[in-house]
Amino acid sequence: MDEMLKKISENGEVDALYSLLVEDPKVLKRIDRLPIVETPLHIAATTGNTRFVMEMVTLKPSFAWKLNPQGLSPMHLALQHGKDHTVKAMIAIDSELVRVKAKGRITPLHYAAAIENLYLLAEFFGACPSSIEELTVKRETAVHIAVKNKKVQAFKVLKGWLLRNNREILKWTDEDGNTALHIATSTNQPQVVKLLIGNVNVNAKNFEDLTAMDIFHLHQDSLDKKIGNILHRARAKRASEIIITPSTLAEKLGRPLSLVEMRDVYFGIIGQSLQKSPNDVRNVILVVATLIATATYQASLSAPGGYWQEDIPPTNTTTTSNNVSQVLKPHRAGEMIFKTSDLIIFLVSNGLGFCSSVLTIIIVIVGLPFSHILYLSMSCLLYAYFTAMALTFPSPTYTDNDLGTANYLLIAFTTVSLTYCIPVMALIQWLSHLGKKLKKTRLKH
């Protein structure tokens, strides 16, 4: 690098930089041609000349992604030298810089976790949430790095963010198959072990076929006995005590289809086209089913024939209006005006359309978040629908529709019973899951 440019970068002289560019317009371009090089941005980031850094990132954005001969980016150098304000200024210009990888695929998020810079951890999550998914060459997440370096507070921040956004990352393993629980156990951190219980599989095995309990027993002389007690209360087991279940993709594919997978195949949610997203197909089905349910429910509230406005008991079927006598069928106010045959056709077809669409919605939402609450709301909707039908259906006491009423009530009872089976089963499953979760929580404390 030109000595003059190096000195300007160290001192953060923005005006001198532009004067140099006037004299030699290609000075930055020559530096940019090299894949590994120390740029003026590296020097300015190291010294914390924030304004100069922002000017340089604006002039040459590519400099922010270049690594120096030591394999570090300007962001990493700023972090190493404690220039937090410079780091924040850089991510304000380009939030994706949180994902820039130094030697070993170490990102600024990994480094912030390693040095327990809680302020920048929060800033990085706000600027680039997806940066939490980045892995080092050892396939370590920021969680692994925080636990390995015994940075408990950094781990708490990472765990808190993941529980609110993507808790599955807590279960990810490194190149040796170790979860954060394996590492916390081997590095003698009972507090971290306790925090992980309930969020990871306590019986997960690493590539040496060891669980966290195995690691504790192998090194129990040098480990805190609290770790063993915590694992024991969480029902952690040694590898030899675990019943082998399908875990690999090959083993999973060898099993029969589950109920949810059978549903997805039947409804065409998966297996129809590699270009179609399962979520897109599910959304289309839900939209169509919802429209049918809405139309049929509205039809039940606004019968095509209208409703009687007055009571005509069986003993009085003749009315007089303008000296003209009319013979009317006995009825009650609020009942639907229909011929017997039309009434049965309308109610059966409308009821089946409504129930089938509701049943489709219930089946499609199986496994989705808050599906158990939706089961309850759909059950209430079904109850309201058939209650409205029962209240407006012509009473057999007033009409000769005894057979029609019986048929309709039989269909309604059967349909509701079948439709309720799924939410009731789902509710039982949810209560069982909730019981297990509460039990785990009690064991944890």
Side-chain angles (χ1 to χ4, degrees):
M1 184 191 308
D2 183 275
E3 286 298 324
M4 179 63 70
L5 180 57
K6 186 176 182 180
K7 185 177 179 181
I8 290 172
S9 302
E10 288 175 348
N11 297 329
E13 299 173 2
V14 176
D15 292 336
L17 170 65
Y18 278 93
S19 298
L20 179 62
L21 290 175
V22 171
E23 297 175 7
D24 187 358
K26 295 184 179 182
V27 62
L28 298 181
K29 189 174 182 179
R30 288 195 297 270
I31 297 172
D32 198 22
R33 290 173 182 167
L34 302 174
I36 303 293
V37 63
E38 184 177 54
T39 69
L41 186 57
H42 286 86
I43 298 171
T46 301
T47 56
N49 293 316
T50 304
R51 291 185 180 179
F52 186 92
V53 165
M54 296 182 74
E55 287 285 350
M56 187 58 69
V57 172
T58 303
L59 290 170
K60 275 291 180 183
S62 59
F63 281 3
W65 296 87
K66 285 191 175 294
L67 304 183
N68 66 8
Q70 289 72 44
L72 299 174
S73 75
M75 278 275 286
H76 291 85
L77 288 171
L79 277 166
Q80 279 190 358
H81 291 82
K83 308 301 181 182
D84 292 1
H85 56 288
T86 302
V87 173
K88 188 175 179 181
M90 292 181 72
I91 61 174
I93 296 175
D94 185 358
S95 61
E96 285 295 311
L97 287 174
V98 179
R99 307 183 74 162
V100 62
K101 299 168 186 65
K103 184 172 63 176
R105 288 181 57 88
I106 300 292
T107 68
L109 180 68
H110 294 140
Y111 193 83
I115 64 175
E116 205 167 42
N117 191 322
L118 306 184
Y119 168 74
L120 285 181
L121 274 178
E123 289 290 329
F124 290 161
F125 284 139
C128 186
S130 59
S131 61
I132 190 66
E133 299 175 5
E134 297 292 348
L135 302 175
T136 68
V137 292
K138 297 180 181 180
R139 288 181 54 193
E140 294 173 328
T141 65
V143 175
H144 288 102
I145 291 173
V147 176
K148 191 172 284 187
N149 287 277
K150 298 186 177 182
K151 305 299 183 181
V152 179
Q153 294 305 316
F155 169 75
K156 287 182 177 180
V157 172
L158 291 165
K159 178 196 169 191
W161 192 90
L162 288 171
L163 290 179
R164 292 170 174 82
N165 296 275
N166 188 354
R167 64 171 59 231
E168 284 300 311
I169 293 178
L170 284 169
K171 304 175 184 178
W172 287 9
T173 59
D174 62 13
E175 65 178 357
D176 297 318
N178 291 316
T179 64
L181 184 61
H182 287 95
I183 298 171
T185 302
S186 63
T187 54
N188 199 25
Q189 300 182 72
Q191 184 180 0
V192 176
V193 171
K194 186 176 181 179
L195 289 170
L196 284 167
I197 297 298
N199 298 300
V200 298
N201 180 7
V202 294
N203 295 317
K205 300 178 186 179
N206 62 15
F207 293 155
E208 294 181 357
D209 210 30
L210 298 176
T211 65
M213 185 61 88
D214 286 320
I215 293 174
F216 173 75
H217 281 287
L218 286 172
H219 307 284
Q220 58 183 331
D221 293 338
S222 59
L223 297 180
D224 193 327
K225 296 192 181 300
K226 290 180 181 178
I227 295 177
N229 295 332
I230 295 169
L231 292 174
H232 180 72
R233 287 199 300 270
R235 297 187 177 182
K237 300 178 181 179
R238 303 186 70 168
S240 58
E241 301 170 344
I242 298 173
I243 300 174
I244 299 175
T245 56
S247 57
T248 65
L249 179 59
E251 292 171 328
K252 181 180 178 182
L253 294 174
R255 290 181 297 173
L257 292 177
S258 66
L259 181 62
V260 173
E261 289 171 333
M262 290 174 65
R263 174 209 64 184
D264 291 345
V265 172
Y266 179 79
F267 280 95
I269 295 175
I270 59 174
Q272 297 298 319
S273 173
L274 295 176
Q275 295 179 349
K276 291 182 180 179
S277 167
N279 287 332
D280 291 342
V281 177
R282 185 183 288 109
N283 290 339
V284 171
I285 295 173
L286 284 174
V287 169
V288 174
T290 302
L291 288 174
I292 295 173
T294 303
T296 51
Y297 189 80
Q298 184 61 36
S300 71
L301 299 178
S302 305
Y307 299 90
W308 293 109
Q309 302 299 314
E310 72 287 325
D311 290 337
I312 301 293
T315 56
N316 181 20
T317 59
T318 304
T319 61
T320 303
S321 178
N322 297 328
N323 297 322
V324 178
S325 296
Q326 291 180 315
V327 179
L328 299 175
K329 291 182 179 181
H331 57 260
R332 291 186 301 186
E335 293 180 346
M336 290 181 280
I337 303 173
F338 265 119
K339 291 180 181 180
T340 302
S341 58
D342 294 340
L343 177 63
I344 299 302
I345 292 172
F346 169 73
L347 290 181
V348 171
S349 59
N350 189 73
L352 289 175
F354 177 75
C355 290
S356 61
S357 61
V358 169
L359 183 60
T360 300
I361 293 171
I362 290 175
I363 293 173
V364 171
I365 65 176
V366 170
L368 296 180
F370 305 106
S371 57
H372 301 91
I373 298 175
L374 294 175
Y375 295 149
L376 179 61
S377 64
M378 297 306 289
S379 300
C380 293
L381 180 64
L382 281 168
Y383 180 78
Y385 175 83
F386 284 106
T387 300
M389 291 293 96
L391 292 174
T392 58
F393 196 92
S395 172
T397 305
Y398 281 67
T399 68
D400 56 356
N401 286 338
D402 293 22
L403 182 60
T405 302
N407 288 334
Y408 173 70
L409 292 178
L410 177 62
I411 292 172
F413 177 78
T414 304
T415 307
V416 172
S417 298
L418 291 174
T419 307
Y420 275 14
C421 284
I422 291 180
V424 169
M425 290 171 63
L427 180 62
I428 293 172
Q429 183 185 17
W430 178 72
L431 289 174
S432 174
H433 174 72
L434 182 62
K436 291 179 181 178
K437 196 168 185 180
L438 290 173
K439 192 172 183 179
K440 282 185 179 180
T441 304
R442 287 197 299 269
L443 289 171
K444 179 180 175 181
H445 297 287

mmCIF file of all heavy atoms in Angstrom, residues 4 10 31 54 59 81 104 131-132 135 165 174 178 184 260 278 290 310 324 368 383 394 396 417-418 421 431 443:
data_model
loop_
_atom_site.group_PDB
_atom_site.id
_atom_site.type_symbol
_atom_site.label_atom_id
_atom_site.label_comp_id
_atom_site.label_asym_id
_atom_site.label_seq_id
_atom_site.Cartn_x
_atom_site.Cartn_y
_atom_site.Cartn_z
ATOM 1 N N MET A 4 1.721 7.065 1.796
ATOM 2 C CA MET A 4 0.893 8.240 2.053
ATOM 3 C C MET A 4 -0.538 7.826 2.407
ATOM 4 O O MET A 4 -1.140 8.339 3.350
ATOM 5 C CB MET A 4 0.895 9.145 0.817
ATOM 6 C CG MET A 4 0.031 10.402 0.970
ATOM 7 S SD MET A 4 0.628 11.499 2.284
ATOM 8 C CE MET A 4 2.135 12.088 1.528
ATOM 9 N N GLU A 10 -4.418 5.891 8.939
ATOM 10 C CA GLU A 10 -4.133 5.822 10.378
ATOM 11 C C GLU A 10 -4.653 7.063 11.097
ATOM 12 O O GLU A 10 -5.167 6.975 12.216
ATOM 13 C CB GLU A 10 -2.630 5.685 10.603
ATOM 14 C CG GLU A 10 -2.085 4.319 10.236
ATOM 15 C CD GLU A 10 -0.570 4.272 10.350
ATOM 16 O OE1 GLU A 10 0.044 5.361 10.496
ATOM 17 O OE2 GLU A 10 -0.003 3.158 10.275
ATOM 18 N N ILE A 31 -5.620 -1.587 -5.308
ATOM 19 C CA ILE A 31 -5.695 -2.389 -4.080
ATOM 20 C C ILE A 31 -6.822 -3.425 -4.189
ATOM 21 O O ILE A 31 -6.677 -4.576 -3.774
ATOM 22 C CB ILE A 31 -5.918 -1.475 -2.850
ATOM 23 C CG1 ILE A 31 -4.732 -0.524 -2.674
ATOM 24 C CG2 ILE A 31 -6.149 -2.303 -1.581
ATOM 25 C CD1 ILE A 31 -4.942 0.530 -1.606
ATOM 26 N N MET A 54 -16.520 5.110 7.362
ATOM 27 C CA MET A 54 -17.781 5.260 6.625
ATOM 28 C C MET A 54 -17.536 5.828 5.225
ATOM 29 O O MET A 54 -18.190 5.418 4.257
ATOM 30 C CB MET A 54 -18.734 6.149 7.424
ATOM 31 C CG MET A 54 -19.157 5.533 8.762
ATOM 32 S SD MET A 54 -20.331 6.531 9.688
ATOM 33 C CE MET A 54 -21.834 6.271 8.763
ATOM 34 N N LEU A 59 -16.983 4.619 -0.645
ATOM 35 C CA LEU A 59 -16.199 4.674 -1.873
ATOM 36 C C LEU A 59 -15.909 3.269 -2.434
ATOM 37 O O LEU A 59 -16.013 3.035 -3.636
ATOM 38 C CB LEU A 59 -14.870 5.404 -1.613
ATOM 39 C CG LEU A 59 -14.952 6.909 -1.353
ATOM 40 C CD1 LEU A 59 -13.606 7.430 -0.872
ATOM 41 C CD2 LEU A 59 -15.377 7.638 -2.631
ATOM 42 N N HIS A 81 -10.069 -4.695 18.601
ATOM 43 C CA HIS A 81 -9.506 -3.512 19.257
ATOM 44 C C HIS A 81 -10.561 -2.723 20.040
ATOM 45 O O HIS A 81 -10.310 -1.589 20.468
ATOM 46 C CB HIS A 81 -8.820 -2.612 18.218
ATOM 47 C CG HIS A 81 -7.569 -3.209 17.655
ATOM 48 N ND1 HIS A 81 -7.584 -4.131 16.623
ATOM 49 C CD2 HIS A 81 -6.249 -3.050 17.999
ATOM 50 C CE1 HIS A 81 -6.352 -4.493 16.323
ATOM 51 N NE2 HIS A 81 -5.514 -3.859 17.147
ATOM 52 N N GLY A 104 -11.229 -19.388 9.160
ATOM 53 C CA GLY A 104 -11.974 -20.345 9.973
ATOM 54 C C GLY A 104 -13.477 -20.115 9.919
ATOM 55 O O GLY A 104 -14.205 -20.698 10.713
ATOM 56 N N SER A 131 -27.807 -14.183 10.763
ATOM 57 C CA SER A 131 -26.392 -14.436 11.030
ATOM 58 C C SER A 131 -26.198 -15.537 12.066
ATOM 59 O O SER A 131 -25.135 -16.150 12.131
ATOM 60 C CB SER A 131 -25.700 -13.155 11.501
ATOM 61 O OG SER A 131 -26.291 -12.675 12.704
ATOM 62 N N ILE A 132 -27.217 -15.822 12.867
ATOM 63 C CA ILE A 132 -27.136 -16.874 13.878
ATOM 64 C C ILE A 132 -26.967 -18.250 13.235
ATOM 65 O O ILE A 132 -26.508 -19.195 13.876
ATOM 66 C CB ILE A 132 -28.393 -16.844 14.778
ATOM 67 C CG1 ILE A 132 -28.225 -17.765 16.007
ATOM 68 C CG2 ILE A 132 -29.625 -17.245 13.996
ATOM 69 C CD1 ILE A 132 -27.163 -17.337 16.966
ATOM 70 N N LEU A 135 -22.017 -21.025 10.386
ATOM 71 C CA LEU A 135 -21.188 -22.024 11.056
ATOM 72 C C LEU A 135 -19.707 -21.772 10.761
ATOM 73 O O LEU A 135 -19.358 -21.303 9.684
ATOM 74 C CB LEU A 135 -21.557 -23.432 10.583
ATOM 75 C CG LEU A 135 -23.008 -23.875 10.779
ATOM 76 C CD1 LEU A 135 -23.218 -25.235 10.142
ATOM 77 C CD2 LEU A 135 -23.368 -23.911 12.252
ATOM 78 N N ASN A 165 -37.092 -17.016 18.470
ATOM 79 C CA ASN A 165 -37.035 -16.995 17.009
ATOM 80 C C ASN A 165 -36.800 -18.362 16.366
ATOM 81 O O ASN A 165 -37.531 -18.741 15.453
ATOM 82 C CB ASN A 165 -35.939 -16.017 16.547
ATOM 83 C CG ASN A 165 -36.244 -14.594 16.930
ATOM 84 O OD1 ASN A 165 -36.956 -13.899 16.231
ATOM 85 N ND2 ASN A 165 -35.700 -14.137 18.057
ATOM 86 N N ASP A 174 -21.785 -29.848 16.381
ATOM 87 C CA ASP A 174 -20.551 -29.420 15.715
ATOM 88 C C ASP A 174 -19.967 -30.579 14.918
ATOM 89 O O ASP A 174 -20.613 -31.618 14.725
ATOM 90 C CB ASP A 174 -19.559 -28.859 16.729
ATOM 91 C CG ASP A 174 -19.126 -29.898 17.757
ATOM 92 O OD1 ASP A 174 -19.395 -31.103 17.547
ATOM 93 O OD2 ASP A 174 -18.517 -29.521 18.776
ATOM 94 N N ASN A 178 -21.222 -32.952 18.763
ATOM 95 C CA ASN A 178 -21.528 -32.456 20.108
ATOM 96 C C ASN A 178 -22.565 -31.343 20.078
ATOM 97 O O ASN A 178 -22.437 -30.393 19.297
ATOM 98 C CB ASN A 178 -20.255 -31.931 20.786
ATOM 99 C CG ASN A 178 -19.284 -33.028 21.132
ATOM 100 O OD1 ASN A 178 -19.669 -34.081 21.635
ATOM 101 N ND2 ASN A 178 -18.006 -32.791 20.856
ATOM 102 N N ALA A 184 -21.103 -28.201 27.481
ATOM 103 C CA ALA A 184 -21.294 -27.657 28.830
ATOM 104 C C ALA A 184 -20.953 -28.699 29.890
ATOM 105 O O ALA A 184 -20.400 -28.369 30.946
ATOM 106 C CB ALA A 184 -22.738 -27.179 28.995
ATOM 107 N N VAL A 260 -49.514 -37.417 9.491
ATOM 108 C CA VAL A 260 -49.350 -36.101 8.859
ATOM 109 C C VAL A 260 -48.820 -36.251 7.441
ATOM 110 O O VAL A 260 -49.261 -35.548 6.518
ATOM 111 C CB VAL A 260 -48.394 -35.226 9.703
ATOM 112 C CG1 VAL A 260 -48.091 -33.917 8.973
ATOM 113 C CG2 VAL A 260 -49.003 -34.934 11.065
ATOM 114 N N PRO A 278 -44.641 -26.735 -0.229
ATOM 115 C CA PRO A 278 -45.724 -27.317 0.564
ATOM 116 C C PRO A 278 -46.569 -26.264 1.262
ATOM 117 O O PRO A 278 -47.790 -26.411 1.375
ATOM 118 C CB PRO A 278 -44.971 -28.202 1.581
ATOM 119 C CG PRO A 278 -43.707 -28.569 0.881
ATOM 120 C CD PRO A 278 -43.343 -27.361 0.061
ATOM 121 N N THR A 290 -61.813 -22.200 3.450
ATOM 122 C CA THR A 290 -62.367 -21.093 4.240
ATOM 123 C C THR A 290 -63.476 -20.372 3.470
ATOM 124 O O THR A 290 -64.507 -19.997 4.052
ATOM 125 C CB THR A 290 -61.255 -20.102 4.621
ATOM 126 O OG1 THR A 290 -60.233 -20.793 5.352
ATOM 127 C CG2 THR A 290 -61.804 -18.969 5.476
ATOM 128 N N GLU A 310 -94.655 -14.753 11.692
ATOM 129 C CA GLU A 310 -95.667 -14.886 12.737
ATOM 130 C C GLU A 310 -95.933 -16.356 12.995
ATOM 131 O O GLU A 310 -95.558 -17.224 12.198
ATOM 132 C CB GLU A 310 -96.977 -14.192 12.334
ATOM 133 C CG GLU A 310 -97.772 -14.903 11.242
ATOM 134 C CD GLU A 310 -97.150 -14.785 9.867
ATOM 135 O OE1 GLU A 310 -96.567 -13.724 9.566
ATOM 136 O OE2 GLU A 310 -97.203 -15.773 9.099
ATOM 137 N N VAL A 324 -110.337 -11.863 1.932
ATOM 138 C CA VAL A 324 -109.909 -13.046 1.176
ATOM 139 C C VAL A 324 -109.271 -14.026 2.150
ATOM 140 O O VAL A 324 -108.340 -13.662 2.884
ATOM 141 C CB VAL A 324 -108.889 -12.684 0.072
ATOM 142 C CG1 VAL A 324 -108.438 -13.963 -0.646
ATOM 143 C CG2 VAL A 324 -109.528 -11.713 -0.910
ATOM 144 N N LEU A 368 -49.566 -27.346 12.811
ATOM 145 C CA LEU A 368 -49.203 -25.925 12.732
ATOM 146 C C LEU A 368 -49.232 -25.293 14.117
ATOM 147 O O LEU A 368 -49.913 -25.793 15.027
ATOM 148 C CB LEU A 368 -50.178 -25.186 11.803
ATOM 149 C CG LEU A 368 -50.181 -25.601 10.330
ATOM 150 C CD1 LEU A 368 -51.205 -24.776 9.557
ATOM 151 C CD2 LEU A 368 -48.809 -25.425 9.708
ATOM 152 N N TYR A 383 -70.741 -26.071 16.399
ATOM 153 C CA TYR A 383 -71.857 -26.082 17.348
ATOM 154 C C TYR A 383 -72.825 -24.943 17.055
ATOM 155 O O TYR A 383 -74.044 -25.126 17.070
ATOM 156 C CB TYR A 383 -71.312 -25.963 18.770
ATOM 157 C CG TYR A 383 -72.387 -25.956 19.833
ATOM 158 C CD1 TYR A 383 -72.999 -27.139 20.231
ATOM 159 C CD2 TYR A 383 -72.790 -24.762 20.442
ATOM 160 C CE1 TYR A 383 -73.989 -27.136 21.192
ATOM 161 C CE2 TYR A 383 -73.774 -24.747 21.404
ATOM 162 C CZ TYR A 383 -74.379 -25.945 21.782
ATOM 163 O OH TYR A 383 -75.368 -25.933 22.725
ATOM 164 N N PRO A 394 -88.177 -26.261 10.654
ATOM 165 C CA PRO A 394 -89.600 -26.399 11.001
ATOM 166 C C PRO A 394 -89.826 -27.512 12.011
ATOM 167 O O PRO A 394 -89.338 -28.628 11.854
ATOM 168 C CB PRO A 394 -90.256 -26.725 9.661
ATOM 169 C CG PRO A 394 -89.350 -26.130 8.648
ATOM 170 C CD PRO A 394 -87.977 -26.274 9.203
ATOM 171 N N PRO A 396 -91.510 -30.509 13.977
ATOM 172 C CA PRO A 396 -92.416 -31.591 13.578
ATOM 173 C C PRO A 396 -93.794 -31.474 14.237
ATOM 174 O O PRO A 396 -94.769 -32.028 13.757
ATOM 175 C CB PRO A 396 -91.685 -32.846 14.038
ATOM 176 C CG PRO A 396 -90.709 -32.395 15.069
ATOM 177 C CD PRO A 396 -90.331 -31.011 14.687
ATOM 178 N N SER A 417 -70.210 -35.565 14.980
ATOM 179 C CA SER A 417 -69.442 -36.558 15.734
ATOM 180 C C SER A 417 -68.129 -36.873 15.043
ATOM 181 O O SER A 417 -67.061 -36.908 15.671
ATOM 182 C CB SER A 417 -70.265 -37.842 15.896
ATOM 183 O OG SER A 417 -71.447 -37.574 16.626
ATOM 184 N N LEU A 418 -68.192 -37.098 13.717
ATOM 185 C CA LEU A 418 -66.979 -37.417 12.965
ATOM 186 C C LEU A 418 -66.009 -36.237 12.966
ATOM 187 O O LEU A 418 -64.799 -36.407 13.080
ATOM 188 C CB LEU A 418 -67.335 -37.804 11.526
ATOM 189 C CG LEU A 418 -68.071 -39.144 11.362
ATOM 190 C CD1 LEU A 418 -68.495 -39.326 9.910
ATOM 191 C CD2 LEU A 418 -67.200 -40.305 11.813
ATOM 192 N N CYS A 421 -64.122 -35.730 16.257
ATOM 193 C CA CYS A 421 -63.135 -36.746 16.618
ATOM 194 C C CYS A 421 -61.718 -36.184 16.546
ATOM 195 O O CYS A 421 -60.897 -36.419 17.435
ATOM 196 C CB CYS A 421 -63.249 -37.959 15.686
ATOM 197 S SG CYS A 421 -64.650 -39.015 16.067
ATOM 198 N N LEU A 431 -52.871 -32.116 25.639
ATOM 199 C CA LEU A 431 -52.851 -32.176 27.096
ATOM 200 C C LEU A 431 -51.749 -33.119 27.579
ATOM 201 O O LEU A 431 -51.072 -32.844 28.571
ATOM 202 C CB LEU A 431 -54.209 -32.634 27.619
ATOM 203 C CG LEU A 431 -55.360 -31.624 27.473
ATOM 204 C CD1 LEU A 431 -56.673 -32.254 27.894
ATOM 205 C CD2 LEU A 431 -55.087 -30.367 28.291
ATOM 206 N N LEU A 443 -38.787 -30.995 36.907
ATOM 207 C CA LEU A 443 -37.508 -31.681 37.080
ATOM 208 C C LEU A 443 -36.344 -30.710 36.963
ATOM 209 O O LEU A 443 -35.326 -30.834 37.644
ATOM 210 C CB LEU A 443 -37.382 -32.786 36.022
ATOM 211 C CG LEU A 443 -38.291 -34.006 36.219
ATOM 212 C CD1 LEU A 443 -38.219 -34.906 34.998
ATOM 213 C CD2 LEU A 443 -37.882 -34.786 37.457
#
